[in-house]
Amino acid sequence: MWQAQVRIDLDAIRHNVATLRGLLRPGTALMSVVKADAYGHGLLPVATAAVQAGATWLGAATLDEALTLREHGITVRILSWLHSPGRPLHEAITAGVDLSASSSDALDEIAAAARQAHRPAAVHLKIDTGMSRNGATRADWPALLTAAAKAEADGDIEIAAVWSHFACADEPGHPSILRQQLAFDDALDVAAGLGVEPPLRHLANSAATLTLPESHFDLVRVGLSTYGLEPIPGAAPDLRPAMSVHARVALVKAVPAGEGVSYGHTYKILRDTNLALVPLGYADGVPRSASSRGLVEIGGKVRRVVGRVCMDQIMVDCGDDDVRPGDEAVLFGRGGPTADDWAAAADTINYEIVARMGSNRTPRVYVGEQA
Ligand SMILES: *Cc1c(COP(=O)(O)O)cnc(C)c1O
């Protein structure tokens, strides 16, 4: 008998990838972003399901994520975009993983690794169009292009793409969106002026994929929406959340009015009630900042967490209801509260809720797995 589990519906992943593909023009490919253990959903099962549903690219932040995909026989194109100096890039090149370069130094390191691997590296040149995170600045862009063109002529790399990332695509109408689109067009013009015509251009994350068709270019990089969550409330009603979080009530007891609940007694019982002890806490990814605010469904009713979230457990106010030990509690998913409810309760975003819930000691169970 299980105590707590994170359930991942792979049919939902497949449904979401197919739904997202339906938004794209025929020539535009879809990359499912599976960084951070597939946003807490599990790297390999999600990657497999996404590919089954037609994702022809997978996006990984780290080399390790990308190499794990290859080691398990995933053959679609993979882009890995975040490496500190000194990482074993030649392993990625040997494994046929595309790499991103944001600076001439990074490009030099990729070229050296390619010579070591005896195989050209497929490189995506990243321009910073206004997020100030990765990517070359406008000032450094021509030098990066020149270095890339030379490395390509030397046979060390193949320029696979020019790409960038939005800062505020989840706020439709935000003035930075148009500025970034114009900066991307400008970066492509500068590239063309230097003789660089990348086979692929990509810019859109989930929010842009859902709201800005003109940003789709040749490839979209969808993370959150692959998992059935919306970057903008109401933007994608056809998606199905893939993760649900379940636990079995460990203890129920009557607690009289006036008692304090959990550490610090930040919550006081106002009238006699039954408290259910649910065996999931912040070590499992339940945000402590949702103390006395998170919602949990037990016995078909949505109830509130009372008192501080502990490391391993939370207390849920069940009033006069007949809740029993062993009853199933649903933190989110499957008709209970949503990851968005927990994000609101914890003052964060749905991304963080699922990424944390899925990266801990709670066993993950897959449903909808194809034989
Ligand atoms: C995480 C990430 C994405 C996916 O973003 P979503 O909002 O989850 O769709 C795309 N591109 C880059 C560079 C990222 O880091």
Side-chain angles (χ1 to χ4, degrees):
M1 179 61 85
W2 54 274
Q3 169 153 307
Q5 56 184 222
V6 171
R7 278 182 216 158
I8 307 298
D9 181 351
L10 295 174
D11 284 335
I13 300 281
R14 283 185 283 265
H15 165 85
N16 296 333
V17 170
T19 301
L20 291 162
R21 283 181 68 210
L23 302 175
L24 308 178
R25 283 189 304 270
T28 302
L30 183 141
M31 172 192 291
S32 285
V33 178
V34 293
K35 64 192 181 190
D37 210 9
Y39 292 40
H41 294 64
L43 179 66
L44 293 167
V46 167
T48 305
V51 170
Q52 284 165 350
T56 52
W57 283 82
L58 295 171
T62 67
L63 282 187
D64 291 340
E65 293 165 342
L67 290 171
T68 301
L69 291 166
R70 277 287 181 262
E71 278 157 20
H72 287 81
I74 304 262
T75 56
V76 297
R77 286 185 81 174
I78 299 171
L79 172 62
S80 165
W81 56 72
L82 187 59
H83 338 101
S84 302
R87 298 289 297 151
L89 299 175
H90 60 282
E91 289 177 25
I93 297 165
T94 299
V97 170
D98 289 31
L99 298 170
S100 174
S102 293
S103 70
S104 301
D105 285 351
L107 189 81
D108 287 347
E109 206 181 343
I110 292 172
R115 289 191 292 273
Q116 196 182 345
H118 305 292
R119 170 174 176 171
V123 178
H124 297 230
L125 301 172
K126 192 162 194 188
I127 173 76
D128 180 359
T129 51
M131 180 152 173
S132 306
R133 193 173 70 172
N134 325 97
T137 61
R138 176 71 172 77
D140 293 339
W141 183 236
L144 176 58
L145 290 163
T146 305
K150 175 165 187 313
E152 190 168 55
D154 292 346
D156 292 335
I157 73 162
E158 282 162 10
I159 298 171
V162 164
W163 73 303
S164 190
H165 190 55
F166 281 116
C168 309
D170 56 349
E171 296 177 48
H174 192 286
S176 69
I177 296 171
L178 183 58
R179 280 204 301 272
Q180 286 199 255
Q181 289 177 289
L182 293 172
F184 193 62
D185 290 341
D186 172 66
L188 290 168
D189 287 345
V190 172
L194 291 168
V196 174
E197 300 273 5
L200 297 171
R201 302 152 297 162
H202 53 102
L203 177 60
N205 57 2
S206 289
T209 299
L210 294 169
T211 62
L212 288 174
E214 68 275 24
S215 72
H216 290 180
F217 291 96
D218 307 301
L219 174 67
V220 297
R221 307 184 308 271
V222 286
L224 190 74
S225 51
T226 299
Y227 307 99
L229 299 177
E230 295 175 318
I232 303 161
D238 298 337
L239 301 179
R240 299 212 309 250
M243 179 186 288
S244 59
V245 177
H246 309 252
R248 295 215 184 262
V249 173
L251 178 73
V252 180
K253 64 185 170 191
V255 182
E259 290 293 329
V261 180
S262 194
Y263 290 118
H265 278 182
T266 54
Y267 185 88
K268 285 245 172 356
I269 303 271
L270 295 179
R271 60 179 194 89
D272 297 0
T273 194
N274 291 309
L275 291 188
L277 184 65
V278 173
L280 283 171
Y282 61 77
D284 303 292
V286 179
R288 187 171 177 274
S289 50
S291 294
S292 292
R293 301 212 311 231
L295 299 175
V296 178
E297 184 255 304
I298 306 174
K301 245 193 195 172
V302 175
R303 308 161 189 283
R304 198 151 64 96
V305 171
V306 288
R308 286 211 176 124
V309 171
C310 304
M311 187 179 290
D312 316 298
Q313 43 198 319
I314 48 179
M315 277 61 81
V316 176
D317 189 351
C318 297
D320 299 328
D321 293 345
D322 182 24
V323 170
R324 307 270 175 94
D327 284 357
E328 186 166 337
V330 180
L331 272 69
F332 60 85
R334 294 232 159 164
T338 62
D340 294 272
D341 291 329
W342 275 90
D347 219 348
T348 183
I349 51 175
N350 49 11
Y351 294 73
E352 187 179 355
I353 297 295
V354 291
R356 290 164 54 110
M357 282 313 270
S359 64
N360 52 62
R361 67 180 152 186
T362 314
R364 264 195 305 245
V365 176
Y366 290 93
V367 297
E369 202 143 24
Q370 285 175 347

Coordinates of all heavy atoms in Angstrom, one line a residue, residues 140-147 149-150 159 187-197:
D140 N 28.4 42.2 -29.2 CA 29.3 41.0 -29.4 C 28.8 40.1 -30.6 O 29.5 39.2 -30.9 CB 29.4 40.2 -28.1 CG 30.1 41.0 -27.0 OD1 30.8 42.0 -27.4 OD2 29.9 40.7 -25.9
W141 N 27.6 40.3 -31.1 CA 27.0 39.4 -32.0 C 27.8 39.3 -33.3 O 28.1 38.2 -33.8 CB 25.6 39.9 -32.3 CG 24.7 39.1 -33.2 CD1 24.1 39.5 -34.4 CD2 24.4 37.7 -33.1 NE1 23.4 38.5 -34.9 CE2 23.5 37.4 -34.2 CE3 24.7 36.7 -32.2 CZ2 23.0 36.1 -34.4 CZ3 24.2 35.4 -32.4 CH2 23.3 35.1 -33.5
P142 N 28.3 40.4 -33.9 CA 29.1 40.3 -35.2 C 30.3 39.4 -35.0 O 30.7 38.6 -35.8 CB 29.4 41.7 -35.6 CG 28.3 42.5 -34.9 CD 28.0 41.9 -33.6
A143 N 31.0 39.6 -33.8 CA 32.2 38.8 -33.6 C 31.9 37.4 -33.4 O 32.6 36.5 -33.9 CB 32.9 39.4 -32.3
L144 N 30.8 37.1 -32.8 CA 30.4 35.6 -32.6 C 30.1 35.0 -34.0 O 30.5 33.9 -34.3 CB 29.2 35.5 -31.7 CG 28.6 34.1 -31.5 CD1 29.7 33.1 -31.0 CD2 27.4 34.1 -30.6
L145 N 29.4 35.8 -34.8 CA 29.0 35.3 -36.2 C 30.3 35.1 -37.0 O 30.4 34.0 -37.7 CB 28.1 36.3 -36.9 CG 26.7 36.4 -36.4 CD1 26.1 37.7 -36.9 CD2 25.9 35.2 -36.8
T146 N 31.2 36.0 -36.9 CA 32.5 35.9 -37.7 C 33.2 34.7 -37.3 O 33.7 33.9 -38.1 CB 33.3 37.2 -37.5 OG1 32.5 38.3 -37.9 CG2 34.5 37.1 -38.4
A147 N 33.3 34.5 -35.9 CA 34.0 33.3 -35.4 C 33.3 32.0 -35.8 O 34.0 31.0 -36.2 CB 34.1 33.4 -33.9
A149 N 31.4 31.6 -38.5 CA 31.6 31.3 -40.0 C 33.0 30.7 -40.2 O 33.2 29.8 -41.0 CB 31.4 32.6 -40.7
K150 N 34.0 31.2 -39.5 CA 35.4 30.7 -39.7 C 35.4 29.2 -39.2 O 36.0 28.4 -39.8 CB 36.4 31.6 -38.9 CG 37.8 31.0 -38.9 CD 38.8 32.0 -38.5 CE 40.2 31.4 -38.8 NZ 40.4 30.0 -38.3
I159 N 26.8 25.5 -38.4 CA 25.9 26.5 -37.8 C 24.5 25.9 -38.0 O 24.0 25.8 -39.2 CB 26.0 27.9 -38.4 CG1 27.4 28.4 -38.1 CG2 24.9 28.8 -37.9 CD1 27.7 29.8 -38.9
A187 N 19.1 40.7 -35.6 CA 20.2 39.8 -35.5 C 20.3 38.9 -36.7 O 21.4 38.6 -37.1 CB 20.0 38.9 -34.2
L188 N 19.2 38.5 -37.2 CA 19.2 37.7 -38.5 C 19.7 38.5 -39.7 O 20.5 38.0 -40.5 CB 17.8 37.2 -38.8 CG 17.3 36.1 -37.8 CD1 15.8 35.9 -38.0 CD2 18.0 34.8 -37.9
D189 N 19.4 39.8 -39.7 CA 19.9 40.6 -40.8 C 21.4 40.8 -40.7 O 22.1 40.7 -41.7 CB 19.3 42.0 -40.7 CG 17.8 42.0 -41.1 OD1 17.4 41.0 -41.8 OD2 17.1 43.0 -40.9
V190 N 21.9 41.0 -39.5 CA 23.3 41.1 -39.3 C 24.0 39.8 -39.7 O 25.1 39.8 -40.4 CB 23.7 41.5 -37.8 CG1 25.2 41.4 -37.5 CG2 23.1 42.8 -37.4
A191 N 23.4 38.7 -39.3 CA 24.0 37.4 -39.7 C 24.0 37.3 -41.3 O 25.1 37.0 -41.8 CB 23.1 36.3 -39.1
A192 N 22.9 37.6 -41.9 CA 22.9 37.5 -43.4 C 24.0 38.4 -44.0 O 24.6 38.1 -44.9 CB 21.5 37.9 -43.9
G193 N 24.1 39.6 -43.4 CA 25.1 40.6 -43.9 C 26.5 40.0 -43.8 O 27.4 40.4 -44.6
L194 N 26.7 39.1 -42.9 CA 28.1 38.5 -42.7 C 28.1 37.1 -43.4 O 29.0 36.3 -43.1 CB 28.4 38.3 -41.2 CG 28.7 39.7 -40.5 CD1 28.7 39.5 -39.0 CD2 30.0 40.3 -41.1
G195 N 27.1 36.8 -44.2 CA 27.0 35.6 -44.9 C 26.6 34.4 -44.1 O 26.7 33.2 -44.6
V196 N 26.0 34.6 -43.0 CA 25.5 33.5 -42.2 C 24.0 33.3 -42.4 O 23.2 34.2 -42.0 CB 25.8 33.6 -40.7 CG1 25.2 32.5 -39.8 CG2 27.3 33.7 -40.4
E197 N 23.5 32.3 -43.0 CA 22.1 32.0 -43.2 C 21.8 30.7 -42.5 O 21.9 29.6 -43.0 CB 21.8 31.8 -44.7 CG 22.2 33.0 -45.6 CD 21.1 34.0 -45.7 OE1 20.1 33.9 -45.1 OE2 21.3 35.0 -46.5

